[in-house]
Amino acid sequence: MKNSIAVLTGAGVSAESGLGTYRDNGGLWDNYDPMEVASIEGWMRNPELVLNFYNMQRSKLKDVKPNAAHRAIASLQDKYDVSVITQNVDNLHERAGSSKVIHLHGEVTKVRPEHGRYDRDYSESEVFDIGYDQVCLGDKAPNGSQLRPHIVFFGEAVPKIERAIEIVSKADMVLIVGTSLQVYPAASLYRYAGNDTPIFIIDPAELKLSDRRIVHIRENATSGMQKIVEMLEKEENFTTFAPAK
Ligand code: OAD
């Protein structure tokens, strides 16, 4: 059986493709108030503003390509059972060839009908792909309700978290790439890794990490992933990477 790797990614993995992160200087949340454009309350107050925000994300995504980090993550599939668990709403992991991708916070290229406050009642069969098209107020789903972005807004539950926890808890290695680990429950996912499971985090920023299991590779996603690939080529036995007791 192949060793399994859970790869937890955030906006930093797509930064070198030209998509901005959220919380770095000049990031999206410097220019937009997340409570206005990405929360359930914001949607209830002003759905047009929210639709326009995600229309903008969709059209940016159309013009960018996966980078070497996305491709390196996909290449690990040749030898390992790789599950990508991403907070990103872009489709760059899929476009780089990753076959198992869980989007914890939804997907910007998909929409679904609105089901009223908190939207707990949607089913996967109602979600559909709109690619890079724009969505306007008044655009309706087949059931007659307004289309909304297939995004987990702030204030909503994260339906895929249970599946993600299961994957991380069984993984032989956990790789974290480009996330500030500030948004829960995604930020605490790595804690479900086994005590002897090696955990690497690739991020150029200084991070305050209290978990002794984590090895911080302080680099951009592309060069950091290159290091991981080289390391795995030399040493396939994951127990070598197990955290010191
Ligand atoms: P953040 O913007 O919070 O964090 C981005 C991380 O990427 C930071 O730690 C940066 O240091 C790092 N970074 C920047 N450039 C990088 C590079 N070239 N290579 C590697 N890392 C780099 O983004 P997330 O942690 O993904 O949710 O944000 C989590 C969630 O907050 C998002 O999914 C989104 C946002 O609000 C929703 O909208 C629901």
Side-chain angles (χ1 to χ4, degrees), residues 3 6 13 27 36 40 42 44 49 60 103 135 146 161 164 172 178 191 224 233-234 237 239:
N3 275 326
V13 77
E36 295 295 328
I40 186 66
M44 293 296 170
L49 187 77
K60 267 201 246 170
H103 286 272
V135 187
Q146 171 65 43
I161 197 72
D172 297 306
R191 295 183 190 282
E233 269 164 15
K234 281 195 221 123
N237 182 356
T239 53

Side-chain angles (χ1 to χ4, degrees), residues 83-103:
S83 299
V84 178
I85 300 167
T86 186
Q87 294 170 78
N88 297 346
V89 298
D90 66 48
N91 55 10
L92 297 178
H93 284 299
E94 288 89 343
R95 281 161 60 191
S98 282
S99 55
K100 286 203 261 176
V101 185
I102 292 182
H103 286 272

Side-chain angles (χ1 to χ4, degrees), residues 89-132:
V89 298
D90 66 48
N91 55 10
L92 297 178
H93 284 299
E94 288 89 343
R95 281 161 60 191
S98 282
S99 55
K100 286 203 261 176
V101 185
I102 292 182
H103 286 272
L104 287 176
H105 295 161
E107 292 169 80
V108 75
T109 50
K110 294 184 178 173
V111 290
R112 64 176 201 252
E114 185 188 20
H115 275 287
R117 199 159 180 80
Y118 297 123
D119 244 315
R120 282 197 197 97
D121 304 325
Y122 83 89
S123 79
E124 284 294 331
S125 63
E126 295 175 297
V127 177
F128 67 93
D129 226 304
I130 49 154
Y132 306 107

Side-chain angles (χ1 to χ4, degrees), residues 10-12 16 22-24 29 87 105 154 179-180 183 203-204 220-221:
E16 289 161 273
Y22 295 94
R23 294 178 183 79
D24 288 307
W29 295 157
Q87 294 170 78
H105 295 161
F154 284 104
T179 169
S180 61
V183 175
D203 199 297
N220 283 341

